[in-house]
Amino acid sequence: MISLSASAICEIVDGELYGDPKAIVSKAAVFDSRDAESGSLFLALVGDTQDGHEFVDDAIARGATLIFSTKSVTGNHIVVKDVIEAISALAKYVRSESSQMKVIGITESQG
């Protein structure tokens, strides 16, 4: 991950920023709050049995710098329409800015 400010990320993903626009995300995005660390971006994903919004406080306590969410939460966060679309847009941007990065694809077929 390249280092980006919360305000730059907000512009890339077309969201609404709450909190410090100068907060710097410099680590990977995580969707498990137990993997959050200083500089990371926590993705508050909503699944069939869990709602990532319930784990925002834990992610912040573990050091997450910024949260992608679909509703207002505590801490520095960007409210987006869809967290998956937002992280996809951010990944596309990071890839475009990282010309030296090699990208590989892994597929699997069963049967």
Side-chain angles (χ1 to χ4, degrees):
M1 176 70 180
I2 60 175
S3 295
L4 292 168
S5 68
S7 61
I9 293 171
C10 186
E11 194 172 311
I12 293 163
V13 302
D14 193 29
E16 190 169 346
L17 176 62
Y18 296 87
D20 183 3
K22 294 180 181 179
I24 301 294
V25 174
S26 58
K27 300 278 177 89
V30 298
F31 57 87
D32 186 329
S33 63
R34 296 170 293 188
D35 294 331
E37 61 181 324
S38 180
S40 65
L41 167 63
F42 178 69
L43 309 175
L45 297 170
V46 178
D48 292 336
T49 60
Q50 298 288 334
D51 183 346
H53 296 91
E54 296 174 10
F55 299 95
V56 166
D57 290 337
D58 184 52
I60 292 170
R62 293 173 187 266
T65 299
L66 188 64
I67 313 295
F68 275 180
S69 63
T70 55
K71 60 184 177 183
S72 190
V73 294
T74 59
N76 297 325
H77 63 283
I78 298 175
V79 175
V80 295
K81 292 178 185 174
D82 184 296
V83 172
I84 296 294
E85 287 180 15
I87 195 63
S88 295
L90 181 58
K92 181 178 179 180
Y93 175 83
V94 168
R95 173 65 183 111
S96 74
E97 294 296 308
S98 306
S99 62
Q100 300 300 316
M101 182 189 309
K102 292 185 186 230
V103 177
I104 62 169
I106 299 174
T107 63
E108 181 178 339
S109 176
Q110 187 175 16

